[in-house]
């Protein structure tokens, strides 16, 4: 069959197709082993929590295509691609981490039943919190740097730093992570082919991409998400031109969607967010 289009895993639909499918759990395990300080045998028993591709999530401007999973020790992990960093993304990722942390506590249960939750954010451009390829944030004591708890764990993987430098890592784990991030970042099939020679799991991921690139259905779904990214960029442009804060607007949409899911009446959501009724009814 003929190749129809080029893929980058910076597209969140393509990323979830490769890393979030049942047949590719070994690929996801290999990737997570490079990022987390968790025994490989614990990661090996991972359970995917949202394997379905909902039509609304693919086409809706508030839809998030993330990869969510649970480990055998009950740790919950959420992985998200964010192509462009914005000033409110740090607060946004804490908000989603908190939601993931609290939604698993049943009424009457003690707080010790709350699971450890880990958020992994793969950022394409504009990350400005630090200059690291891989950074991890926890709650620590200011002077002693002791962890208050290991239950809050937020990772950022900076794809722009991968583009800026060649892999000079001597540590095998860091080298493996660099290769995965290079694989995720690139559009170039030759770069993927070269990386695939160094890892059987990257080779398997590359084979999955090649199958996708020959499918008219995959092309349509992929390009639909690309259009969503272009729309987000347009909102940002309009925001600068009209003095509108796109990040704040997106936060309002996400808040409204959450309140609507919780069953709050439309008028209350209007009061809380300031969004027009028509916008809320579309969510």
């Amino acid at each position: 069959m003929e190749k129809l289009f080029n893929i980058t895993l910076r597209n969140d639909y393509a990323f979830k197709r490769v890393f979030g499918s049942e047949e590719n759990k070994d690929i996801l395990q290999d990737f997570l082993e490079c990022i987390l300080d968790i025994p490989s045998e614990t990661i090996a028993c991972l359970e995917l929590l949202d394997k379905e591709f909902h039509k609304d999530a693919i086409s809706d401007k508030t839809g998030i295509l993330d990869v969510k999973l649970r480990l055998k020790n009950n740790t919950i992990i959420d992985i998200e691609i964010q192509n462009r960093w914005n000033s409110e993304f740090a607060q946004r990722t804490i908000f989603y981490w908190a939601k993931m942390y609290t939604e698993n506590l049943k009424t009457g249960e003690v707080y010790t039943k709350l699971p450890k939750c880990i958020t992994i954010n793969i950022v394409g451009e504009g990350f400005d919190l630090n200059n690291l390829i891989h950074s991890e944030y926890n709650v620590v004591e200011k002077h002693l740097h002791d962890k208050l708890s290991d239950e809050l764990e937020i990772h950022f993987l900076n794809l722009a730093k991968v583009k800026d430098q060649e892999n000079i890592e001597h540590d095998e784990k860091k080298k493996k992570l660099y290769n995965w991030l290079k694989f995720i970042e690139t559009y170039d099939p030759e770069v993927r082919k070269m990386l695939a020679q160094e890892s059987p799991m990257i080779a398997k991921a590359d084979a999955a991409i090649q199958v996708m690139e020959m499918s008219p259905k995959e092309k349509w779904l992929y390009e639909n998400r690309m259009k969503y990214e272009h729309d987000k960029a347009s909102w940002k442009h309009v925001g600068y031109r009209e003095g509108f804060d796109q990040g704040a607007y997106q936060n309002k949409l996400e808040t409204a969607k959450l309140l609507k899911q919780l069953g709050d009446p439309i008028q209350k959501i209007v009061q809380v967010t300031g969004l027009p009724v028509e916008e809320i009814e579309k969510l």
Side-chain angles (χ1 to χ4, degrees), residues 166 178-179 182-183 188-199 202-203 206:
E166 291 301 318
Y178 176 94
N179 287 346
K182 186 76 173 175
F183 184 83
D188 190 340
E190 291 303 314
V191 172
R192 286 200 295 264
K193 183 178 178 181
M194 177 189 68
L195 293 167
Q197 294 172 1
E198 300 188 34
S199 161
I202 291 181
D206 189 40

Side-chain angles (χ1 to χ4, degrees), residues 7-10 19 31 122 133 157-167 174-196 198 202 209:
I7 280 177
T8 173
L9 294 183
R10 285 178 59 174
F19 287 93
F31 181 54
I122 305 170
I133 287 178
L157 301 169
N158 187 352
L159 296 181
K161 292 298 290 183
V162 174
K163 287 193 294 185
D164 289 346
Q165 66 184 61
E166 291 301 318
N167 188 1
K174 290 180 180 178
K175 182 178 179 181
K176 191 174 167 184
L177 177 60
Y178 176 94
N179 287 346
W180 266 123
L181 296 181
K182 186 76 173 175
F183 184 83
I184 291 166
E185 187 275 330
T186 189
Y187 274 96
D188 190 340
E190 291 303 314
V191 172
R192 286 200 295 264
K193 183 178 178 181
M194 177 189 68
L195 293 167
E198 300 188 34
I202 291 181
I209 288 173

Side-chain angles (χ1 to χ4, degrees), residues 148-165:
L148 175 65
S149 167
D150 67 352
E151 291 172 338
L152 172 61
E153 188 172 316
I154 296 175
H155 296 255
F156 294 101
L157 301 169
N158 187 352
L159 296 181
K161 292 298 290 183
V162 174
K163 287 193 294 185
D164 289 346
Q165 66 184 61

Side-chain angles (χ1 to χ4, degrees), residues 7-228:
I7 280 177
T8 173
L9 294 183
R10 285 178 59 174
N11 175 287
D12 56 0
Y13 170 75
F15 182 87
K16 184 163 183 172
R17 283 287 287 115
V18 173
F19 287 93
S21 61
E22 197 69 32
E23 66 269 22
N24 291 338
K25 282 167 64 171
D26 50 353
I27 293 175
L28 180 57
Q29 176 190 342
D30 193 77
F31 181 54
L32 290 173
E33 286 175 356
C34 306
I35 302 167
L36 305 173
D37 293 321
I38 293 175
S40 58
E41 59 269 20
T42 301
I43 300 174
C45 298
L46 67 88
E47 171 197 0
L48 291 167
L49 296 179
D50 186 9
K51 294 172 279 188
E52 301 303 318
F53 287 89
H54 306 288
K55 183 181 176 183
D56 290 345
I58 293 171
S59 57
D60 184 3
K61 290 179 175 57
T62 61
I64 298 172
L65 291 182
D66 51 358
V67 175
K68 186 176 283 189
L69 60 130
R70 181 188 288 117
L71 303 182
K72 72 175 183 180
N73 63 3
N74 209 34
T75 295
I76 297 174
I77 301 172
D78 189 81
I79 310 170
E80 182 184 344
I81 288 273
Q82 175 77 6
N83 268 305
R84 293 175 182 85
W85 180 262
N86 65 59
S87 60
E88 296 191 354
F89 190 74
Q91 286 73 30
R92 178 178 174 277
T93 196
I94 293 169
F95 174 82
Y96 278 108
W97 174 90
K99 182 174 179 288
M100 182 169 60
Y101 185 58
T102 57
E103 69 186 2
N104 291 282
L105 187 69
K106 297 180 177 65
T107 304
E109 283 188 335
V110 294
Y111 292 118
T112 52
K113 292 285 186 181
L114 284 166
K116 177 174 181 175
C117 291
I118 300 172
T119 297
I120 299 171
N121 302 289
I122 305 170
V123 183
E125 300 170 4
F127 180 75
D128 60 4
L129 296 183
N130 58 61
N131 291 317
L132 301 173
I133 287 178
H134 175 203
S135 50
E136 177 184 339
Y137 288 85
N138 310 103
V139 179
V140 298
E141 202 286 325
K142 181 177 179 179
H143 306 286
L144 302 175
H145 305 292
D146 290 337
K147 283 186 184 181
L148 175 65
S149 167
D150 67 352
E151 291 172 338
L152 172 61
E153 188 172 316
I154 296 175
H155 296 255
F156 294 101
L157 301 169
N158 187 352
L159 296 181
K161 292 298 290 183
V162 174
K163 287 193 294 185
D164 289 346
Q165 66 184 61
E166 291 301 318
N167 188 1
I168 55 173
E169 294 289 353
H170 300 294
D171 179 278
E172 279 304 310
K173 183 176 177 179
K174 290 180 180 178
K175 182 178 179 181
K176 191 174 167 184
L177 177 60
Y178 176 94
N179 287 346
W180 266 123
L181 296 181
K182 186 76 173 175
F183 184 83
I184 291 166
E185 187 275 330
T186 189
Y187 274 96
D188 190 340
E190 291 303 314
V191 172
R192 286 200 295 264
K193 183 178 178 181
M194 177 189 68
L195 293 167
Q197 294 172 1
E198 300 188 34
S199 161
M201 286 300 104
I202 291 181
K204 183 177 179 180
D206 189 40
I209 288 173
Q210 291 177 47
V211 171
M212 289 177 66
E213 289 175 331
M214 293 185 289
S215 165
K217 179 183 177 182
E218 297 290 7
K219 182 175 187 289
W220 184 85
L221 292 166
Y222 178 93
E223 289 178 347
N224 210 14
R225 288 304 282 183
M226 290 298 286
K227 180 180 181 298
Y228 162 65

